[in-house]
Amino acid sequence: MHSIEHTTPDQETVRQWLDLDADGALGPQERSQLVQHLGESAELTAEKRQTEALHRLLGSSRIPVREGFREGVMAALPAAAAWERPAARSWHLALAMLLACALGASLLLPGTLADDALFGTGSAVADFFETTLLAGAGLLEASWRGVGMGLAELFAASKSSLLAMGLLVLCLDLLFVSMLRRRPKAEAKADVSEDRR
């Protein structure tokens, strides 16, 4: 049902209502407004009769589809593998050409744009990000090595800390396994109801 809310609908809206009314798809509120407009305008009443006559004519000219037509069309289609996605090998040439163009552009652009201020700024920002990334990676590696060395010293100091760490890891593993095996009841009920359908 279409719900078009207008206090004073324009002519285009009323024409849409006429078409929907002829199809039997007009809502009750819009239908009452349409009846009110039909009572006020003889031209609109004539247009309603023409629209209904057009819909009757279209309905009488419908051709019924013979039995088994859909199955025949589906059987006549080629096998799915022939018209699905093209093979990955067909993209090798296009990918090689794209890489060649990118390599050529990377060799030619720095020489031609060396005096351009915008290109220089972009290049400086790119160098800054590259340096920051390398420094962050080095700091992360050093931190990881420091944590490893600290844990090695902790475990070497006493056997009880190694035993406590092993127990902690075992408890965490058991917690993760229990969380993976346990499913929420609502999700399990939804799965059961879908299986019954």
Side-chain angles (χ1 to χ4, degrees), residues 180-195:
L180 286 174
R181 293 190 63 196
R182 184 183 316 147
R183 294 178 4 175
K185 292 181 182 178
E187 185 180 325
K189 287 180 183 176
D191 289 346
V192 169
S193 64
E194 285 178 11
D195 290 341

Side-chain angles (χ1 to χ4, degrees), residues 22-23 54-65:
D23 281 337
L54 177 64
H55 277 263
R56 280 193 302 274
L57 184 63
L58 288 173
S60 66
S61 64
R62 282 195 185 126
I63 300 171
V65 179

Side-chain angles (χ1 to χ4, degrees), residues 28 99 101-102 134 141:
L99 288 175
C101 288
L134 288 173
E141 183 186 2

Side-chain angles (χ1 to χ4, degrees), residues 154-171:
L154 180 67
F155 294 151
S158 71
K159 300 285 183 187
S160 61
S161 27
L162 179 62
L163 183 64
M165 183 59 80
L167 186 61
L168 176 66
V169 169
L170 179 65
C171 290

Side-chain angles (χ1 to χ4, degrees), residues 138-158:
L139 183 63
L140 184 64
E141 183 186 2
S143 301
W144 188 249
R145 282 188 182 175
V147 167
M149 289 171 62
L151 285 175
E153 286 293 324
L154 180 67
F155 294 151
S158 71

